[in-house]
Amino acid sequence: MTATPTIGVLALQGDVREHVLALEACGAFAQRVRRPEELTHLDGLIIPGGESTTISKLAVAFDVMEPLRERIAGGLPTYGSCAGMILLADRILDAPGDQETIGGMDATVRRNAFGRQVDSFEAELAIDGVEGVPLHAVFIRAPWVESLGPAATALGTVATGPAAGRIVAIRQQHLLATSFHPELTGDRRVHEYFCEMVKGER
Ligand code: GLN
């Protein structure tokens, strides 16, 4: 890989542009991806926030679901934020019965888990491996990780309030997922962490 990794952003639905800008700020070459052939030359991939049911249906309709599964299972470093976390989970709760995920992470993720009263909120979070002051995390109808299998590790939990202790950031080898949206803040530390994963530095 060159010093400038090529990182795709799955561009079926969701906040694609924000991830593209965050990747560019980290020095990566960002590329929108919709078709199977666009996956072949990537060094990494981001699955954005949005609506996981819609992204999933469009991935099937664009014939990109199976190629995504193959590339991700084959070791492509991949980061999912919010809806992207749902799509990377092997098991999901509170989802329509026919909602497919791409899978790869040994985790059970509950959609819209924080409930109506706090369906969107912001919180300060410490994430293992992210140095410095806590991250300002933006949650929008976010999922949480209900449980983790042995292959995956929690990197961060909600610190206070009714959801204290809930897991909202996870890692499993080449896969990373957060319940929140670092692409919506100016803080690039999560994208930098992911770019370092792509370069094999983490
Ligand atoms: N609630 C959405 C879903 O289930 C995720 C929301 C988001 O990505 N901000 O897909």
Side-chain angles (χ1 to χ4, degrees):
M1 189 191 314
T2 60
T4 306
T6 300
I7 301 183
V9 180
L10 187 65
L12 298 170
Q13 189 267 341
D15 64 345
V16 174
R17 181 169 174 274
E18 288 76 4
H19 278 290
V20 166
L21 293 174
L23 285 171
E24 287 172 351
C26 296
F29 179 61
Q31 215 167 37
R32 289 168 170 79
V33 167
R34 285 189 194 85
R35 295 174 210 294
E37 59 272 21
E38 292 166 338
L39 287 171
T40 51
H41 62 285
L42 298 179
D43 301 312
L45 176 69
I46 288 184
I47 304 174
E51 188 56 47
S52 59
T53 49
T54 306
I55 296 173
S56 171
K57 280 183 192 148
L58 290 172
V60 172
F62 277 71
D63 291 326
V64 77
M65 185 61 113
E66 266 321 307
L68 281 169
R69 287 185 178 130
E70 278 164 28
R71 280 290 270 140
I72 291 171
L76 180 69
T78 303
Y79 165 44
S81 70
C82 202
M85 169 189 263
I86 297 166
L87 285 156
L88 282 179
D90 283 343
R91 299 167 295 278
I92 49 175
L93 300 172
D94 291 342
D98 61 348
Q99 183 174 341
E100 289 185 44
T101 71
I102 298 164
M105 297 193 94
D106 188 11
T108 302
V109 168
R110 185 179 293 281
R111 292 184 64 219
N112 304 327
F114 291 92
R116 248 180 233 161
Q117 280 166 358
V118 285
D119 82 8
S120 297
F121 66 102
E122 301 184 10
E124 308 306 309
L125 274 190
I127 302 291
D128 285 353
V130 173
E131 309 290 320
V133 295
L135 282 161
H136 186 70
V138 178
F139 295 85
I140 304 169
R141 300 190 70 226
W144 68 39
V145 179
E146 189 85 14
S147 61
L148 280 179
T153 309
L155 295 183
T157 55
V158 176
T160 57
R166 290 295 180 181
I167 300 168
V168 291
I170 57 175
R171 168 95 187 253
Q172 180 176 331
Q173 295 168 323
H174 61 292
L175 305 177
L176 175 72
T178 63
S179 302
F180 53 94
H181 293 271
E183 70 279 13
L184 298 182
T185 68
D187 188 335
R188 298 303 179 216
R189 285 177 291 168
V190 173
H191 287 81
E192 277 161 12
Y193 178 106
F194 179 60
C195 285
E196 286 167 18
M197 279 174 59
V198 171
K199 291 191 249 174
E201 295 167 2
R202 284 202 187 250

